[in-house]
Amino acid sequence: MSINAHTSNMADEQVDSIADKADNSVCWRVSQVKLLLDAPFNDLIYRAQLIHRQHHDANAVQLSTLISVKTGGCPEDCGYCPQAARYHTSVENQDMLSLEDVVIAATAAKERGASRFCMGAAWRGPKQRDIDKMTEMVSAVKALGMETCATLGLLKPGQAQQLGEAGLDYYNHNLDTAPEFYDEIITTRNYEDRLDTLKEVRGAGINVCCGGIVGMGETRESRAGLIAQLANLDPYPESVPINHLVQVEGTPLHGTEALDPFEFVRTIAAARITMPKAMVRLSAGRQEMSEAIQALCFLAGANSIFYGDKLLTTSNPEADCDKALLNKLGLHVL
Ligand code: SAM
Ligand code: DTB
Ligand code: SF4
């Protein structure tokens, strides 16, 4: 499938041929992803739609609900994060939730239509006693018939295995941004640490959920760099959350110049084109986004959202509003 006949400036043969391959043998150069991002908007969205329709139901959206099982007080210094102990934000530290609270929340999420329940914790990484509690939670949520996901930070050898044996379907660990921009955002863990954790997850046979954040003051080149890193993971992630920075007062990134919303849509399209089979999630930042931009994200190939009125600590659209939006767009829930 070539769309050269329909395109104006985007007719770069190399990109065309590489974008046509849906398997994992494709290696994306940053410059090739940048060419996608630089294309006329209509060409980019058209290409993303073509690929989306080859691999997915074009009118279906998967719903994941988040819960923070351990909030605040994190020792890391991620510049975007309201849960880092060193920044003064309005987030109040909270001990680990009980198993019962988690099961109640997961049951409610399932009743509202979510198929996946993702448990997040404000840790650098879990200790053994944390893994023991998490495995109980994972098994209990799995027993409700939901897909399970956890995002607990860096994993040591053997920890992913334990989570997998308890029934963990997905582990979320984001690369967050391109390697060259990373040090401006986080200094307490490096890119390699993140890649090591992703290897642990893969090695344990757990699906990888890995994406990043845009709107942190990065350049378009860096957005291309992030997408290339994700697409070149071998294999690329099953689930790719594209977050728009939620600016939280007290964090270093609060006050960052706003990103043009079309740049966010372009990033979604590039994720869809480079990772054709992945579920691309329109993730954090929807509360601050117009319905029109969200609709463009779906057109660009997003087919998953976080569903429920809270992300981890910040707000997300009310479930009823999301149901209304999906109805307006004729999108059905997977
Ligand atoms: N502590 C664990 C870790 O960092 O790996 C897991 C939880 S952490 C909150 C999960 C992800 O949420 C981060 O990697 C980041 O991509 C995203 N995130 C955190 N704060 C955000 C914000 N203000 N805006 C957008 N995404 C954010
Ligand atoms: C992901 O990529 N985004 C979610 C989830 N994975 C864990 C988290 C978004 C957090 C937004 C800020 C907050 O609510 O604290
Ligand atoms: Fe801690 Fe995760 Fe927030 Fe970083 S993103 S400060 S590791 S909770």
Side-chain angles (χ1 to χ4, degrees):
M1 170 212 67
S2 170
I3 57 167
N4 271 347
H6 307 282
T7 57
S8 45
N9 298 336
M10 205 166 69
D12 178 272
E13 267 179 31
Q14 261 189 329
V15 173
D16 259 353
S17 68
I18 204 165
D20 288 348
K21 293 186 193 148
D23 61 31
N24 266 296
S25 63
V26 175
C27 179
W28 283 90
R29 287 201 292 274
V30 176
S31 59
Q32 292 170 323
V33 181
K34 176 74 167 26
L35 268 178
L36 293 174
L37 292 177
D38 288 344
F41 189 76
N42 289 350
D43 289 350
L44 175 62
I45 302 303
Y46 177 64
R47 186 193 285 260
Q49 254 297 302
L50 284 176
I51 291 184
H52 190 53
R53 283 168 185 269
Q54 279 181 341
H55 299 280
H56 303 273
D57 177 341
N59 298 303
V61 175
Q62 184 272 334
L63 307 180
S64 290
T65 292
L66 278 168
I67 190 168
S68 178
V69 298
K70 196 269 164 192
T71 305
C74 182
E76 302 296 282
D77 73 348
C78 312
Y80 46 75
C81 187
Q83 301 198 69
R86 66 191 72 200
Y87 309 136
H88 301 287
T89 70
S90 58
V91 169
E92 285 177 23
N93 299 352
Q94 208 177 58
D95 287 343
M96 202 159 174
L97 294 184
S98 67
L99 177 62
E100 195 191 358
D101 285 344
V102 170
V103 170
I104 290 170
T107 306
K110 188 183 176 192
E111 276 165 11
R112 281 197 304 265
S115 58
R116 192 178 304 168
F117 193 67
C118 178
M119 295 160 270
W123 294 320
R124 174 178 166 81
K127 302 188 170 52
Q128 186 54 45
R129 64 168 183 273
D130 302 325
I131 291 285
D132 294 342
K133 287 192 181 163
M134 288 310 309
T135 50
E136 282 180 21
M137 291 179 184
V138 166
S139 299
V141 173
K142 182 85 176 166
L144 299 174
M146 296 186 88
E147 287 182 329
T148 55
C149 178
T151 180
L152 316 173
L154 300 174
L155 295 181
K156 295 187 201 62
Q159 292 187 323
Q161 188 76 26
Q162 293 181 64
L163 292 165
E165 280 163 11
L168 190 71
D169 297 306
Y170 290 80
Y171 192 82
N172 166 243
H173 197 63
N174 292 336
L175 291 178
D176 278 351
T177 192
E180 76 275 7
F181 190 61
Y182 184 89
D183 293 349
E184 313 236 344
I185 307 295
I186 303 147
T187 69
T188 51
R189 65 177 65 177
N190 60 35
Y191 223 73
E192 271 307 310
D193 294 331
R194 290 185 183 258
L195 294 170
D196 287 346
T197 287
L198 294 172
K199 273 193 207 124
E200 291 294 327
V201 174
R202 272 275 169 246
I206 298 170
N207 291 303
V208 170
C209 173
C210 181
I213 311 177
V214 298
M216 298 195 293
E218 75 286 340
T219 58
R220 186 183 267 182
E221 176 96 16
S222 282
R223 287 189 282 282
L226 166 67
I227 297 296
Q229 282 287 331
L230 295 169
N232 291 339
L233 291 172
D234 187 14
Y236 60 74
E238 282 74 22
S239 199
V240 181
I242 304 293
N243 296 276
H244 189 295
L245 173 70
V246 180
Q247 296 206 13
V248 180
E249 215 172 315
T251 59
L253 289 185
H254 183 247
T256 302
E257 195 183 335
L259 180 74
D260 183 321
F262 296 120
E263 282 297 315
F264 185 81
V265 181
R266 284 178 181 276
T267 311
I268 296 263
R272 167 52 64 225
I273 292 166
T274 57
M275 294 169 274
K277 294 178 185 165
M279 299 301 286
V280 175
R281 184 170 309 117
L282 161 54
S283 300
R286 285 197 304 115
Q287 176 77 342
E288 294 75 24
M289 224 174 261
S290 68
E291 289 195 339
I293 291 294
Q294 293 184 59
L296 281 176
C297 289
F298 294 128
L299 196 62
N303 58 354
S304 170
I305 56 172
F306 284 126
Y307 175 66
D309 60 5
K310 212 167 171 198
L311 292 165
L312 290 172
T313 65
T314 64
S315 44
N316 196 44
E318 298 284 337
D320 287 347
C321 291
D322 277 341
K323 278 281 163 79
L325 176 61
L326 297 184
N327 270 337
K328 268 194 265 188
L329 300 176
L331 294 169
H332 60 265
V333 171
L334 279 174

